[in-house]
Amino acid sequence: MKLPSKVKIVDVGPRDGLQNEKDPVPAEIKIGLVHRLQDAGLKEIEVTSFVSPKWVPQMADNAQVMAGIQRKPGVRYSVLTPNMKGFEAAVASKPDEIVVFGAASQAFSQRNINCSIEQSIERFAPVVEAARAKGIYVRGAVSVALGCPYEGDVPPESVELVARLMKQIGVQHLGVADTIGVGTPVKVQRAMEAALKYYDIDDVSGHYHDTYGQALGNTLASLEMGIWQYDTSSAGLGGCPYAKGATGNVATEDVVYMLHGMGIETGIDLDKLIDAGKYISDFLQRKPNSRAATAILNKRAG
Ligand code: HMG
Ligand code: MG
């Protein structure tokens, strides 16, 4: 066990959380969520994606959202860019970090970004080069690293292959993503070990959706390996439009509650984070999908 003493959380709620919402969420609400997250102490926020509005209409206001944020010093804002068209559109918004997103299965790659794994790497390569030339940090995501909605089981070797290809084109950080939330702790550790063949422990993160209620366990299993960076989503929002039935990311509130209880620092004020999650949940007219948020809100009410 080599538990980290500090953890960095990237709140992906504004992007991963909201991309799947059927009814449009106005840009001002997305901006309001970003502002509340940074006020709660989040230092990394995944704001939006520069993808085709035909594929993901909810993210069509990407530039408007980026332009509306009052940036807080010390906070880093990231956006998804699947190709040069997306990158060129994103540059004007001055992201601190971009994300290229590949997959550990051919079928998911095809459904999500309309190309094979190999073609995706060819599309990412110039994006990575252009971003790095501008000093923009490049993160990569490997979707369906623990299981695919179309192909089923995904072996660690497939994660290893994508990790190798991402490393070869200069992707600086690799996020191992359980897109449909089917992973369990030991399987997560095997996938992480595969990523660690090409990336340092300081350059990998876990991105766990909570569809099967495994995401906190998977986070703990990763913490035990020394992994200290995680993507989470306030109020447990989200899902991927191209992964039917998959629910949101693990709730930021639940992860922060667990980490603080373990004496691990996050720099996040849990109470303010609860307010951020309540803000977006109220807008969406539903309860936060977070046990910690529910418990704390009940306590406040009582
Ligand atoms: P394509 O159709 O193969 O692209 O889509 P194309 O290059 O053939 O272009 C077709 C049309 O799209 C053209 O427009 C392009 O201009 C336009 P037309 O001439 O027909 O009017 N286009 C774009 N427009 C805006 N921004 C762009 C862009 N690129 C082309 N960047 C593409 C390929 C990747 C664009 C498409 O498949 C797409 O947008 N996919 C989005 C998928 C997505 O956003 N999924 C959700 C995010 S990933 C995720 O949630 C997983 C993650 O959370 C980790 C995990 O949990 O696994 C990260
Ligand atoms: Mg995701």
Side-chain angles (χ1 to χ4, degrees):
M1 282 245 280
K2 36 186 172 181
L3 285 175
S5 57
K6 282 186 187 161
V7 155
K8 185 183 94 179
I9 290 182
V10 181
D11 197 294
V12 298
R15 193 283 303 170
D16 202 339
L18 294 178
Q19 70 182 5
N20 212 25
E21 288 298 325
K22 279 183 194 66
D23 297 326
V25 178
E28 67 192 75
I29 297 289
K30 295 172 181 168
I31 294 163
L33 175 59
V34 171
H35 287 163
R36 282 163 179 78
L37 291 171
Q38 61 192 18
D39 286 347
L42 265 302
K43 290 278 181 285
E44 304 255 348
I45 303 172
E46 197 173 274
V47 178
T48 186
S49 54
F50 286 82
V51 298
S52 162
K54 285 188 193 134
W55 285 62
V56 186
Q58 188 63 258
M59 296 284 110
D61 58 1
N62 41 31
Q64 197 188 340
V65 173
M66 284 297 277
I69 296 168
Q70 283 182 6
R71 296 194 186 199
K72 197 171 174 177
V75 177
R76 294 163 47 74
Y77 305 88
S78 53
V79 302
L80 268 55
T81 58
N83 53 16
M84 273 314 277
K85 180 160 176 122
F87 177 73
E88 277 155 10
V91 166
S93 297
K94 299 199 184 320
D96 298 293
E97 184 168 317
I98 56 140
V99 186
V100 290
F101 48 105
S105 86
Q106 291 291 0
F108 189 76
S109 181
Q110 208 68 55
R111 302 278 183 118
N112 195 41
I113 50 174
N114 206 23
C115 61
S116 68
I117 294 172
E118 294 74 16
Q119 286 166 331
S120 75
I121 296 294
E122 281 168 29
R123 290 183 189 179
F124 299 154
V127 175
V128 176
E129 200 185 326
R132 293 195 63 177
K134 289 187 182 303
I136 302 172
Y137 189 82
V138 182
R139 177 153 54 93
V142 190
S143 286
V144 299
L146 280 307
C148 171
Y150 311 108
E151 292 184 16
D153 191 47
V154 172
E157 290 73 24
S158 302
V159 179
E160 189 180 330
L161 168 77
V162 183
R164 178 166 63 76
L165 297 174
M166 291 265 198
K167 188 77 188 182
Q168 273 171 4
I169 59 166
V171 172
Q172 291 162 285
H173 175 109
L174 197 71
V176 174
D178 186 5
T179 316
I180 55 171
V182 290
T184 44
V186 174
K187 194 159 166 55
V188 166
Q189 290 179 335
R190 296 291 98 83
M192 278 297 180
E193 281 162 9
L196 289 168
K197 291 196 175 159
Y198 292 96
Y199 283 86
D200 283 350
I201 194 101
D202 292 337
D203 298 325
V204 295
S205 54
H207 175 115
Y208 307 135
H209 285 259
D210 200 29
T211 319
Y212 285 79
Q214 303 298 301
L216 268 186
N218 292 340
T219 304
L220 181 58
S222 314
L223 284 167
E224 287 176 352
M225 295 174 73
I227 290 157
W228 57 276
Q229 301 180 76
Y230 298 91
D231 295 350
T232 64
S233 187
S234 47
L237 297 168
C240 175
Y242 298 98
K244 216 164 184 272
T247 63
N249 296 81
V250 64
T252 311
E253 294 91 323
D254 291 350
V255 173
V256 168
Y257 179 84
M258 179 178 84
L259 293 170
H260 289 183
M262 293 169 74
I264 298 174
E265 278 175 42
T266 64
I268 294 168
D269 178 330
L270 182 57
D271 262 321
K272 285 189 174 169
L273 178 66
I274 301 286
D275 295 338
K278 186 170 180 334
Y279 163 82
I280 191 65
S281 302
D282 284 349
F283 173 81
L284 297 169
Q285 295 185 299
R286 65 175 83 117
K287 299 242 181 293
N289 190 14
S290 154
R291 301 284 280 266
T294 303
I296 291 167
L297 288 169
N298 285 343
K299 211 169 163 183
R300 280 185 191 173

